[in-house]
Amino acid sequence: MLLSLSWLREFTPYEGTAEALGDRLTMLGLELEDIVRPFADIADIRIGKVTLCEPHPNSDHLHCCKVDVGGDEILDIVCGAPNVATGQIVPVALVGTRLPDGTVIKKAKLRGQPSMGMICSERELGLSDAHDGILVLPEGLLPGSRMVDALDLDREVLDISVTPNRADCLSVLGLARETAMAFRLPFAVPELPLILETQAPPVEVPIDIADPELCWLYSGRVISGVKVAPSPVKVRYRLFAVGVRAISNIVDVTNYILFECGQPLHSFDLDKLRGGRIVVRTAAEGEHFVTLDGKERVLTAGDLCICDAERPVGLAGVMGGQNTEITDESRNIFLESAVFRPQTIRRTSRRLGLTSEASYRFERGVDQRRTVWALDRACALMARLGGGFVRQGFSVAEPRPFRPCRIPFRPSRADALLGVHLEPAFCAEALEGVGCAVEKDNPDAWTAIQPSWRPDLTREADLIEEVGRIYGLDAIEPELPPLRRSLDAAGAPESRFAFWGRIRQWGAGLGLNEAVNYSFVGHEDLDFLKLPQAGRISIMNPLSADLDVLRTALAPGLLRDLRNNLAQGVQGLRLFELANIFESDAASETTARETGVLGILLYGRRHEAAWPHGNEDMDYADIKGMVTNLLGFLHLGAPECRQAEGHPFLLPAVDIFVGGERIGVMGRVLPAVAAEFHARKAAWIAELNLETLRRLHDKVAVTFRALPVYPPVRRDITVIARPELTVGEIIAAVHGLGLPLLEDVTLVDSFEPEGGATGERHLTFRLTFRHADRTLNDAEVDKVRAKVAESLTARLGVRI
């Protein structure tokens, strides 16, 4: 929301700086984004008066002008505008002035005649695209004064970020109300009385609302005899200061009132309304309609339309129709002011990708009790600027009147929630300051009446938040709450939140960076990874076209993270993400099943490119090591790995099992897939089911044993194995011997001879032996090692 400081001062006498106001509004929950000075580029433009305008002796289109720019200084200026004339008040750029487009005005001779400045058009001043002539200013301005001072243009505009619940602050009126409350200033709305034409007969346009739940109020008045023309400079440039392009006096009034009062309005050419009536109804499925931007829209049965007796003439709350557009020939205006159901407007706006200042406010809610007041204010201004008159007769239908909520408020509850004692008098003053009427029949339990401009105040917690906001959340001293742990909770099962928290600590401790991605991805993302169509949950109202489905895997988000990091020059990437994936489930109450998943992505160098580390890249051993480390952290033992066939985007793909139960998959992303994410090296991904991991973890009975006292003895043994024989099978065979002195078996090296025809591998294992009560001697260890070698040779057909 762009707030003009001078516009604000028409409602409340704030005399402080823009910075101080921004700071105070920020502490009230309305964040200051920026302070804009919209006319800073034309601060040096002067007011001039053309005292003489004659044709150029050597040109058929130039004029030689004498321009009074204050004091005794009369400048010779050559001007090519067709509308320049003697007696005009005009903007003048003196020699040395820099225009908004960077042009610096210099002394010049144009076809032999001196020119000591420039009479400017709106385009040259950066105020609009109009370049059909110079800008002619109102009479009475003092020559030589600065244009921004003479026209009292808006010097400072605050860019305020308004949260979705504060629709009342999307107007000068609302922000002035906040300012007056914050600085304890008087607040008053400038009068703009409505004068009705008593000589002309009354005009009422019949209004028919098909569904009262979609349109709560619809009102309108007729203004006749208008003349469509440019608005006065005060209105045009005030709209320019808040980012709105001036169009005509009629359209500009609707925009002016929208920014001033927060009520969207729309003007129809009354002569183009067929049947002379308004019907508010939903569109027919597939109905076509051309909006003011010239685009044809295909409507659905959920879109709310404003219609005349035969056809749609506007998309309710979003945009008007081209068929009743105000043009230069329009003479009779029907001005609409209404209240629509916010969800309906939001759905239509998002579906069509059509966002307007009106829809932005209707989606958040408008002040129903000021809807008619804003209409009358706009009619008065429209008659003043358009030269017309407001007809007697008032068209209105209000099937759902506004009924304020009666909200309980307990001062003691406010103290408990805010953690600070507030005097009841302060609480009452704060609630009245935000517009509530407070009934104190019971000193311990008050009743606050909701103001019509605050649809977000519906419960006691909302009122307590308002009191805390006005007191200043920064003024509440931080205090750590006491920590109380029940003895009964000590043996309770670990919560899902706590389990996920421990996994996060594990990932961070292992040197991984946590990724946080949207739960939304695109169907194209899932299709690219060849993930199944079945089970997907599409988003009916997506944030954007590429986020239109709930993710069924974490890989799309992690691969996007990979692309983003590679674009920033990252050489090695280690990511993990804990999040839910979603699949449709008709048996579920929500028709969706959420499953917690841990995703890990490894890419690029194993170490930073600095001495003494090498330049090798991460490989399968790294991703498997991560998984093995996690299972050890959870006391689940070593994983069983089985090669998976036909995985959609991993090759090789390895299924991971614990205790015979599948917990996830890991592998290398297909090079063709990885290349689409700008990866030039191998990318490794693992996805583990956190629900299964937690269930298995909860079954583990953790036991403690004394630390070993006697030293271990280690022996290496190299097994020459066929290619189809896995490391897991060899380790399982060793453990299957049940040797009491054997403590551990670990693979320490793997070697494949070059040119080996049989593809045999040389696998070196380290056997660790230990006795709990004494030190082992070499003879004992060698005997057990020999037994291992004999058993492997006999059972697996390997060579030692």
Side-chain angles (χ1 to χ4, degrees):
M1 170 68 192
L2 293 175
L3 171 66
S4 163
L5 198 56
S6 63
W7 203 348
L8 172 84
R9 287 171 175 153
E10 295 178 6
F11 290 79
T12 186
Y14 173 75
E15 297 299 332
T17 64
E19 290 79 4
L21 176 59
D23 290 343
R24 186 71 183 102
L25 291 178
T26 297
M27 298 314 297
L28 288 172
L30 304 167
E31 185 176 357
L32 174 66
E33 297 285 351
D34 194 11
I35 297 177
V36 183
R37 291 170 174 82
F39 300 105
D41 289 342
I42 58 171
D44 295 330
I45 300 298
R46 302 289 173 169
I47 298 296
K49 181 174 182 179
V50 181
T51 59
L52 179 65
C53 178
E54 297 178 332
H56 194 293
N58 301 318
S59 172
D60 59 355
H61 68 281
L62 297 177
H63 299 82
C64 295
C65 303
K66 299 286 187 180
V67 182
D68 179 6
V69 291
D72 298 327
E73 190 174 10
I74 304 295
L75 298 181
D76 291 312
I77 298 178
V78 177
C79 179
N83 64 328
V84 65
T86 300
Q88 290 176 335
I89 302 296
V90 294
V92 179
L94 304 180
V95 172
T97 301
R98 181 183 294 273
L99 297 178
D101 63 359
T103 302
V104 178
I105 303 302
K106 300 178 181 179
K107 296 179 182 179
K109 273 195 175 185
L110 298 177
R111 298 196 179 183
Q113 297 297 316
S115 185
M116 307 299 291
M118 179 179 183
I119 304 176
C120 302
S121 68
E122 283 197 337
R123 189 171 77 176
E124 288 157 345
L125 296 176
L127 300 177
S128 76
D129 293 331
H131 196 54
D132 51 352
I134 59 169
L135 171 61
V136 180
L137 299 173
E139 295 291 332
L141 302 182
L142 181 65
S145 61
R146 297 198 312 165
M147 176 178 163
V148 292
D149 297 330
L151 295 178
D152 192 22
L153 300 182
D154 299 303
R155 309 293 180 79
E156 296 172 304
V157 175
L158 287 75
D159 186 358
I160 304 293
S161 177
V162 179
T163 53
N165 65 311
R166 293 304 306 274
D168 61 299
C169 291
L170 293 174
S171 65
V172 178
L173 173 68
L175 290 172
R177 193 183 286 120
E178 286 284 303
T179 302
M181 177 197 67
F183 293 94
R184 299 177 182 271
L185 297 172
F187 170 77
V189 180
E191 290 293 330
L192 195 58
L194 175 66
I195 301 174
L196 300 178
E197 175 58 50
T198 58
Q199 301 301 317
V203 178
E204 289 188 17
V205 176
I207 298 170
D208 179 18
I209 298 176
D211 188 345
E213 289 301 315
L214 301 183
C215 179
W216 303 342
L217 183 153
Y218 193 97
S219 61
R221 287 190 185 274
V222 173
I223 304 100
S224 295
V226 301
K227 182 179 179 181
V228 178
S231 298
V233 293
K234 181 70 174 178
V235 173
R236 294 208 314 269
Y237 298 154
R238 173 156 281 179
L239 291 176
F240 174 85
V242 295
V244 177
R245 179 174 62 91
I247 297 174
S248 68
N249 49 6
I250 303 303
V251 178
D252 291 349
V253 165
T254 61
N255 287 326
Y256 193 92
I257 296 299
L258 179 144
F259 274 89
E260 183 180 64
C261 306
Q263 174 65 48
L265 306 164
H266 185 69
S267 51
F268 299 95
D269 188 326
L270 181 62
D271 298 326
K272 298 177 183 177
L273 283 177
R274 297 176 182 173
R277 65 185 303 109
I278 290 291
V279 178
V280 184
R281 62 166 176 83
T282 54
E285 190 69 35
E287 191 169 8
H288 289 250
F289 177 65
V290 180
T291 47
L292 281 171
D293 56 5
K295 296 181 179 179
E296 185 176 56
R297 313 285 179 174
V298 180
L299 307 182
T300 68
D303 299 326
L304 188 63
C305 292
I306 309 300
C307 307
D308 57 18
E310 301 177 11
R311 62 198 172 150
V313 294
L315 273 177
V318 180
M319 187 174 285
Q322 203 174 55
N323 50 14
T324 53
E325 180 181 10
I326 302 298
T327 65
D328 292 345
E329 289 72 35
S330 299
R331 294 293 175 265
N332 299 301
I333 306 297
F334 177 72
L335 186 61
E336 157 202 289
S337 184
V339 180
F340 304 109
R341 182 173 177 262
Q343 296 89 332
T344 303
I345 307 305
R346 185 182 305 117
R347 184 165 53 245
T348 298
S349 175
R350 294 287 175 83
R351 186 184 64 80
L352 295 175
L354 187 61
T355 301
S356 61
E357 292 288 353
S359 69
Y360 187 77
R361 286 159 176 78
F362 276 128
E363 289 175 13
R364 288 155 177 77
V366 297
D367 185 354
Q368 187 165 338
R369 282 189 173 171
R370 281 191 178 266
T371 299
V372 173
W373 170 82
L375 171 69
D376 291 346
R377 190 174 180 86
C379 287
L381 186 58
M382 196 171 288
R384 178 184 300 179
L385 301 185
F389 53 89
V390 183
R391 302 287 290 270
Q392 297 183 80
F394 175 49
S395 307
V396 64
E398 189 174 13
R400 182 176 162 177
F402 173 78
R403 292 183 175 83
C405 297
R406 297 178 59 84
I407 312 168
F409 179 83
R410 294 165 291 173
S412 59
R413 181 60 176 163
D415 291 351
L417 279 185
L418 296 174
V420 63
H421 175 65
L422 300 177
E423 294 296 332
F426 173 83
C427 294
E429 182 183 0
L431 293 177
E432 290 168 353
V434 299
C436 294
V438 182
E439 299 174 355
K440 305 178 189 175
D441 298 335
N442 184 339
D444 298 324
W446 305 347
T447 298
I449 311 300
Q450 173 196 29
S452 60
W453 60 86
R454 292 298 302 272
D456 58 312
L457 301 183
T458 58
R459 53 186 182 157
E460 185 180 32
D462 299 330
L463 299 180
I464 294 173
E465 181 183 15
E466 291 299 298
V467 172
R469 183 173 70 90
I470 296 168
Y471 178 79
L473 299 181
D474 57 322
I476 299 176
E477 293 293 333
E479 181 180 345
L480 289 175
L483 181 63
R484 301 184 181 92
R485 293 196 63 179
S486 170
L487 293 177
D488 296 335
E494 185 178 35
S495 68
R496 187 177 194 258
F497 177 81
F499 180 74
W500 281 38
R502 287 205 298 126
I503 300 295
R504 283 192 173 91
Q505 292 177 350
W506 165 84
L510 210 60
L512 304 177
N513 292 309
E514 184 174 6
V516 179
N517 292 309
Y518 280 124
S519 296
F520 312 126
V521 295
H523 277 289
E524 290 184 358
D525 297 327
L526 300 181
D527 291 341
F528 180 72
L529 296 183
K530 298 181 180 178
L531 293 170
Q533 292 276 350
R536 295 185 189 179
I537 303 174
S538 297
I539 307 298
M540 296 177 64
N541 199 13
L543 294 172
S544 62
D546 58 345
L547 298 173
D548 57 356
V549 64
L550 288 170
R551 61 188 171 196
T552 58
L554 300 188
L558 290 172
L559 289 172
R560 283 191 177 189
D561 295 335
L562 172 63
R563 178 172 56 198
N564 294 337
N565 278 271
L566 291 177
Q568 303 303 318
V570 174
Q571 299 296 319
L573 193 63
R574 297 162 172 251
L575 295 180
F576 79 100
E577 180 178 13
L578 287 92
N580 287 320
I581 62 171
F582 305 85
E583 296 173 287
S584 59
D585 183 2
S588 171
E589 181 180 353
T590 61
T591 71
R593 181 173 67 255
E594 299 183 27
T595 304
V597 173
L598 166 65
I600 303 173
L601 182 141
L602 304 179
Y603 175 84
R605 291 179 175 173
R606 182 174 288 124
H607 303 290
E608 294 292 334
W611 184 88
H613 302 303
N615 293 327
E616 65 272 10
D617 292 331
M618 288 180 280
D619 55 23
Y620 173 73
D622 294 273
I623 193 73
K624 182 183 178 183
M626 295 284 182
V627 173
T628 303
N629 188 285
L630 173 64
L631 297 180
F633 174 76
L634 298 176
H635 309 291
L636 295 178
E640 179 186 352
C641 299
R642 305 175 192 171
Q643 188 162 349
E645 300 294 337
H647 194 278
F649 62 88
L650 295 180
L651 186 69
V654 176
D655 285 331
I656 308 165
F657 292 83
V658 171
E661 189 167 355
R662 186 180 182 275
I663 63 167
V665 66
M666 60 184 171
R668 176 181 177 175
V669 180
L670 286 166
V673 173
E676 290 296 320
F677 295 91
H678 305 167
R680 298 181 179 178
K681 300 177 180 179
W684 301 88
I685 280 183
E687 290 195 3
L688 307 178
N689 187 314
L690 289 174
E691 313 299 334
T692 305
L693 281 176
R694 183 186 173 201
R695 180 165 44 78
L696 294 173
H697 170 67
D698 289 345
K699 293 179 180 178
V700 173
V702 179
T703 58
F704 296 88
R705 61 184 180 185
L707 293 173
V709 177
Y710 295 96
V713 179
R714 297 183 176 89
R715 293 286 189 271
D716 287 356
I717 182 171
T718 298
V719 176
I720 303 175
R722 305 180 307 276
E724 64 272 13
L725 187 62
T726 66
V727 171
E729 290 175 316
I730 297 174
I731 292 177
V734 175
H735 282 303
L737 296 175
L739 302 173
L741 298 182
L742 182 64
E743 185 177 76
D744 189 28
V745 182
T746 305
L747 177 70
V748 295
D749 195 14
S750 175
F751 171 68
E752 296 183 21
E754 293 184 7
T758 61
E760 290 180 326
R761 295 182 297 165
H762 295 209
L763 305 173
T764 300
F765 297 88
R766 180 155 296 160
L767 309 178
T768 301
F769 304 92
R770 192 196 304 266
H771 196 288
D773 300 323
R774 58 184 175 83
T775 300
L776 295 173
N777 57 51
D778 289 343
E780 291 177 295
V781 173
D782 291 341
K783 182 177 179 181
V784 178
R785 179 193 179 280
K787 187 173 182 179
V788 171
E790 291 173 3
S791 176
L792 292 178
T793 302
R795 296 177 57 183
L796 301 180
V798 300
R799 305 197 310 277
I800 302 300

